[in-house]
């Protein structure tokens, strides 16, 4: 039996154990193994139980081993293997095991199958790659799953990429794809979407533990998916779209920008080292940077286009607007006031004293060219100035104006309250009307 690692959270030393017995569930109902086949396990209400594809079936025995990597699942989290036929219908054969160590290792010994297809899923508490998690995992609860053909090997891993593939597999099977063609098509489509340009390993053969040359892609994808870490249902809703394009998956690209530019995912380096992913963190960060630059498609940011405001290629929503600060692209976070100030930096002065200019981005907001502490700048008009449609500046000193039932007088800095009779008299004499 192959050995696997058992890592204690409180120890710096990683312990190796050799599994010669199936992992026991706690509490064990009897002396049988934790991954013992349970032919009485009921299929879920929305699934069917099927008889084998052929009457002439051949039973095969497997020891299925792998890692469940979504950050760090808690030791003891249940993992379930179900045998399927070629239509993804459950045959009723079920095996149960647990996450055995902090690396996410699991094992199903003595798995007897008459069909080559299996579905494996774990649901439990886990620690995030990007964020601070409480030790009891109260913040993060979720699942990952995979489908696999055991004829391709008994090493089967669960990760974010297999999750994306698994959520969309039934859709493709319903279109008439075979299991193999659907899995292959989904691998290609997801790889193209996530820019996994040089990935050739099948998703369920990837893990974050062993030193695989392509595993930095998996760490990068895991970080992207943590954009939805607080609510699995939103990730599932995204994956449920008929077509996964850059607009539908925009949350992933915003996460790539935030993680690559230290705007979010602050624990990425610390947690990756803690979980044993340290050997791929540098390449994962490079990958995330390549992803956001390509998906946003903003071009260069230099002193020549400082204060330029652009929409990313995947969204024209105001919340997604970016601006150039002369060296790098920054998020506006949809704050129209921030965008107004950035846009107005490209305009200096106004030839009409007190003239109100509509804000470039904020609605029902106006700006005027005035002074603050002796320095000329664009200033936001207050309610009185907006009501009078005129700002009080040095060039409008001495003017009167009406707004509603109130009269105001400009002293060169502020509009002062005056009696309405005084306003009526001076507006006529000065010739100023609103």
């Amino acid at each position: 039996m192959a050995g696997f690692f058992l890592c204690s959270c409180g120890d710096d030393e990683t312990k190796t154990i050799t599994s010669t017995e199936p992992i026991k569930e706690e509490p064990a109902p009897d002396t049988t193994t934790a991954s013992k086949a349970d032919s009485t396990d009921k299929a879920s209400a929305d699934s069917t139980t099927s008889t084998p594809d052929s009457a002439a079936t051949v039973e095969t025995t497997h020891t299925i081993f792998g890692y469940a990597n979504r950050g760090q699942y808690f030791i003891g989290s249940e993992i379930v293997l179900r045998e399927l036929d070629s239509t993804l219908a459950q045959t009723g054969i079920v095996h149960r095991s647990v996450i055995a160590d902090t690396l996410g290792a699991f094992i199903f010994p003595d798995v007897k199958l008459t069909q080559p297809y299996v579905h494996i899923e774990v649901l439990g508490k886990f620690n995030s790659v990007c964020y601070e998690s409480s030790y009891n995992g109260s913040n993060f609860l979720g699942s990952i799953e995979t489908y696999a053909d055991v004829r391709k090997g008994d090493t089967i891993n669960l990760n974010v990429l297999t999750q994306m593939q698994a959520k969309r597999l039934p859709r493709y099977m319903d279109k008439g794809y075979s299991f193999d063609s659907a899995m292959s098509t989904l691998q290609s489509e997801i790889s193209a979407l996530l820019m996994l340009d040089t990935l050739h390993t099948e998703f369920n053969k990837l893990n974050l533990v062993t030193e695989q040359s392509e595993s930095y892609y998996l760490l990068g994808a895991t970080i992207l998916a943590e954009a939805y870490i607080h609510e699995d249902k939103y990730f599932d809703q995204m994956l449920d779209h008929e077509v996964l394009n850059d607009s539908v998956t925009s949350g992933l690209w915003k996460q790539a920008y935030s993680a690559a530019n230290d705007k979010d995912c602050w624990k990425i380096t610390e947690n990756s080292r803690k979980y044993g992913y340290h050997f791929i963190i540098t390449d994962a960060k490079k990958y995330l940077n390549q992803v956001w630059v390509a998906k946003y498609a903003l071009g260069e940011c230099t002193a020549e286009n400082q204060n330029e405001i652009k929409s990313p290629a995947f969204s024209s929503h105001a919340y997604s607007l970016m601006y150039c600060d002369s060296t790098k692209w920054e998020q506006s976070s949809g704050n129209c006031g921030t965008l107004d100030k950035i846009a107005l930096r490209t305009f200096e002065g106004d030839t009409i004293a007190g003239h109100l200019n509509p804000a470039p981005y904020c609605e029902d907001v106006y700006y005027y060219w005035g002074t603050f502490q002796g320095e000329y700048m664009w200033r936001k008009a207050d309610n009185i100035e907006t009501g009078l449609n005129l700002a009080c500046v040095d060039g409008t000193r001495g003017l009167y104006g009406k707004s509603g039932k109130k009269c105001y007088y400009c002293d060169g800095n502020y509009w002062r309250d005056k009696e309405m009779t005084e306003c009526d008299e001076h507006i006529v004499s000065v010739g100023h009307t609103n």
Side-chain angles (χ1 to χ4, degrees):
M1 186 73 68
F4 61 96
F5 290 103
L6 178 64
C7 177
S8 173
C9 295
D11 300 333
D12 294 330
E13 180 182 0
T14 300
K15 299 177 181 179
T16 304
I17 65 171
T18 301
S19 176
T20 57
E21 296 292 336
I23 299 172
K24 299 288 197 308
E25 289 192 62
E26 294 293 341
D30 51 37
T31 58
T32 57
T33 64
S35 61
K36 178 182 177 181
D38 179 6
S39 61
T40 63
D41 188 80
K42 300 297 183 183
S44 59
D46 58 352
S47 63
T48 59
T49 300
S50 170
T51 57
D53 288 343
S54 170
T57 56
V58 176
E59 184 178 83
T60 57
T61 303
H62 305 265
T63 295
I64 295 177
F65 171 82
Y67 295 96
N69 294 143
R70 180 183 180 177
Q72 184 188 57
Y73 271 100
F74 279 31
I75 295 173
S77 298
E78 184 180 58
I79 184 165
V80 180
L81 178 151
R82 289 182 169 86
E83 183 187 57
L84 310 173
D85 69 13
S86 60
T87 68
L88 303 187
Q90 298 179 23
T91 67
I93 301 301
V94 178
H95 293 260
R96 300 180 185 278
S97 188
V98 294
I99 300 299
D101 63 18
T102 57
L103 300 177
F106 62 87
I107 189 170
F108 293 97
D110 195 30
V111 175
K112 291 180 171 54
L113 301 171
T114 58
Q115 299 293 308
Y117 308 112
V118 295
H119 174 260
I120 307 175
E121 182 176 24
V122 57
L123 170 64
K125 296 175 181 178
F126 65 95
N127 293 318
S128 162
V129 173
C130 285
Y131 308 108
E132 187 70 55
S133 298
S134 58
Y135 184 75
N136 65 12
S138 59
N139 291 333
F140 306 113
L141 173 69
S143 66
I144 50 173
E145 59 185 301
T146 189
Y147 290 93
D149 183 338
V150 295
R151 292 173 297 189
K152 294 186 176 183
D154 289 351
T155 298
I156 303 172
N157 299 303
L158 285 69
N159 53 60
V160 165
L161 295 175
T162 67
Q163 174 83 348
M164 295 180 71
Q165 189 178 44
K167 289 296 183 183
R168 294 182 66 75
L169 182 67
R171 176 190 298 273
Y172 281 67
M173 298 284 286
D174 289 343
K175 292 179 179 179
Y177 284 73
S178 68
F179 180 89
D180 288 343
S181 63
M183 290 285 282
S184 177
T185 299
L186 282 165
Q187 169 122 359
S188 297
E189 291 183 355
I190 294 169
S191 293
L193 176 72
L194 300 184
M195 295 176 55
L196 311 177
D197 299 332
T198 62
L199 178 63
H200 302 294
T201 303
E202 291 187 3
F203 290 162
N204 61 31
K205 303 302 180 186
L206 285 172
N207 67 73
L208 294 174
V209 179
T210 59
E211 296 196 22
Q212 299 170 304
S213 62
E214 300 166 321
S215 55
Y216 71 90
Y217 277 137
L218 178 55
L219 180 56
T222 302
I223 292 166
L224 293 179
E226 291 207 355
Y228 301 90
I229 194 170
H230 295 285
E231 287 286 353
D232 271 5
K233 66 179 180 181
Y234 295 127
F235 191 53
D236 293 347
Q237 287 171 4
M238 178 195 75
L239 295 173
D240 195 43
H241 281 78
E242 180 67 27
V243 177
L244 295 185
N245 55 36
D246 286 351
S247 178
V248 167
T249 55
S250 61
L252 302 179
W253 321 136
K254 293 176 182 179
Q255 178 78 348
Y257 169 85
S258 298
N261 292 279
D262 297 324
K263 306 291 185 182
D264 200 346
C265 197
W266 301 283
K267 293 289 184 175
I268 177 175
T269 300
E270 177 184 338
N271 286 345
S272 292
R273 288 173 177 166
K274 185 189 303 182
Y275 305 158
Y277 311 157
H278 59 282
F279 60 95
I280 50 176
I281 185 61
T282 299
D283 286 340
K285 286 183 175 180
K286 290 179 181 177
Y287 160 72
L288 291 169
N289 190 68
Q290 292 169 352
V291 167
W292 89 259
V293 169
K295 298 297 186 178
Y296 276 69
L298 298 170
E300 293 187 355
C301 172
T302 67
E304 294 182 1
N305 64 326
Q306 184 176 2
N307 299 322
E308 181 180 9
I309 298 173
K310 295 182 73 173
S311 296
F314 55 80
S315 175
S316 59
H317 193 280
Y319 189 83
S320 300
L321 289 172
M322 307 287 288
Y323 67 92
C324 172
D325 73 353
S326 79
T327 60
K328 60 185 180 300
W329 290 99
E330 293 283 358
Q331 290 177 316
S332 69
S333 298
N335 187 316
C336 65
T338 299
L339 291 170
D340 284 343
K341 291 177 182 178
I342 294 167
L344 289 170
R345 289 173 190 165
T346 60
F347 304 98
E348 185 171 335
D350 193 327
T351 57
I352 304 174
H355 177 238
L356 300 189
N357 298 272
Y361 290 93
C362 292
E363 295 182 1
D364 301 322
V365 174
Y366 298 86
Y367 290 87
Y368 65 92
W369 188 249
T371 60
F372 179 71
Q373 296 181 345
E375 181 181 353
Y376 276 95
M377 63 180 64
W378 287 104
R379 302 194 64 186
K380 183 178 178 181
D382 61 23
N383 291 337
I384 295 175
E385 290 163 332
T386 301
L388 293 169
N389 197 29
L390 188 71
C392 182
V393 295
D394 189 60
T396 58
R397 184 192 301 271
L399 293 182
Y400 286 78
K402 287 182 181 179
S403 178
K405 296 182 179 180
K406 301 192 98 176
C407 173
Y408 300 95
Y409 168 76
C410 175
D411 66 2
N413 293 296
Y414 303 100
W415 287 104
R416 305 295 185 183
D417 287 342
K418 293 293 180 179
E419 294 293 331
M420 186 62 75
T421 54
E422 184 178 350
C423 200
D424 289 337
E425 176 185 349
H426 283 85
I427 285 179
V428 174
S429 63
V430 173
H432 173 69
T433 58
N434 293 316

